[in-house]
Amino acid sequence: MHRSAPRLTRILACAAVPVMLVVAGCSSDSDSKSEDSASSASPTPEAKKSPTVAPARFGKLPDPCDSIGEKTIEDLVPGTKTKGGTDGKSSDVSRRGSCSWNGLDDNGVKGSQYRWLDVSFLRYDSDASLGVSAEQRAEESYEKEIAKAKATEGAKDVKTSPAPGIGDEATTVNYRLRKTDEDFTYATVVARTENGVVTLTYNGTGYAGAKNPSTSDMTKDALKAAKEAVASVTTANK
């Protein structure tokens, strides 16, 4: 019994050797396959690409005070003392600008007619970092300008209607507003042409017993002036 113990120990030791080798071999193959699998599963990082957006169609704006013809100014704003208009202040004339005219047509005992006309321009560039085109930015601005006109403080009987045939899209906003103890009739035309937005506001009233202008007449004249202003954007970029 005592002599067989060392022999048994040697047999068990020898038997254990191949088992360890097999286990080691399997472990090595398994690790290698895992590494290969992990390596193939990890994609090669790629540099982030900036989104491609369409370039701006218009790169500049017209002189606001030259955007409406002299004859139109004479018809819409009779009695104006500044036919060349009053230029609005702008820190960047390539992106924004405005001009206004006002006049009083005094008809003596028949009363007087007051008119005020204002036109403003906004131009937008594409923003590649945000993936937004100049036209998309102008579309957003167009909607905001319409909302702004509709939200004019004190405005009554506000109505909007499409204005086809002016730029890519246009809307007329009509309302009445009382100021200086008189009722003024307003017609605002907001139009978008490519990446530019034009807002034209025309208003007036009758003094000393003169009849106030009708909404239809004011709208007709405002649309005429708006067409000229929008066309001037294209002309300025030729």
Side-chain angles (χ1 to χ4, degrees), residues 41-227:
S42 301
T44 303
E46 297 183 358
K48 292 184 178 180
K49 298 180 180 180
S50 299
T52 302
V53 295
R57 167 73 185 282
F58 298 131
K60 58 183 178 180
L61 292 174
D63 182 333
C65 292
D66 290 334
S67 65
I68 301 174
E70 292 184 7
K71 181 61 169 61
T72 301
I73 295 299
E74 291 177 1
D75 292 341
L76 270 60
V77 193
T80 180
K81 294 180 180 179
T82 54
K83 294 184 179 180
T86 301
D87 194 10
K89 301 297 181 181
S90 174
S91 58
D92 188 348
V93 294
S94 70
R95 295 176 184 272
R96 66 185 69 245
S98 64
C99 189
S100 62
W101 299 260
N102 67 84
L104 181 67
D105 185 17
D106 191 347
N107 294 308
V109 295
K110 293 183 180 180
S112 303
Q113 288 291 334
Y114 175 81
R115 296 292 185 272
W116 185 81
L117 176 67
D118 175 86
V119 62
S120 65
F121 295 83
L122 295 172
R123 187 190 66 80
Y124 296 89
D125 289 317
S126 296
D127 191 334
S129 64
L130 297 177
V132 181
S133 69
E135 187 169 347
Q136 289 175 314
R137 296 181 66 193
E139 289 173 351
E140 294 177 0
S141 176
Y142 168 73
E143 295 295 339
K144 290 180 180 179
E145 290 298 314
I146 294 173
K148 187 188 300 183
K150 292 170 62 177
T152 299
E153 186 176 357
K156 297 180 180 180
D157 302 324
V158 180
K159 296 179 181 179
T160 61
S161 57
I166 302 179
D168 294 301
E169 53 185 337
T171 297
T172 301
V173 181
N174 296 108
Y175 56 89
R176 293 185 179 279
L177 182 64
R178 188 169 182 79
K179 57 182 182 179
T180 62
D181 296 326
E182 299 291 342
D183 291 320
F184 283 72
T185 303
Y186 276 76
T188 295
V189 181
V190 181
R192 180 186 67 81
T193 174
E194 298 286 351
N195 57 307
V197 177
V198 180
T199 300
L200 183 140
T201 297
Y202 184 46
N203 71 76
T205 190
Y207 283 117
K211 187 178 179 179
N212 286 344
S214 68
T215 297
S216 60
D217 286 342
M218 294 296 286
T219 300
K220 180 181 178 181
D221 288 340
L223 290 172
K224 177 183 178 182
K227 286 182 180 180

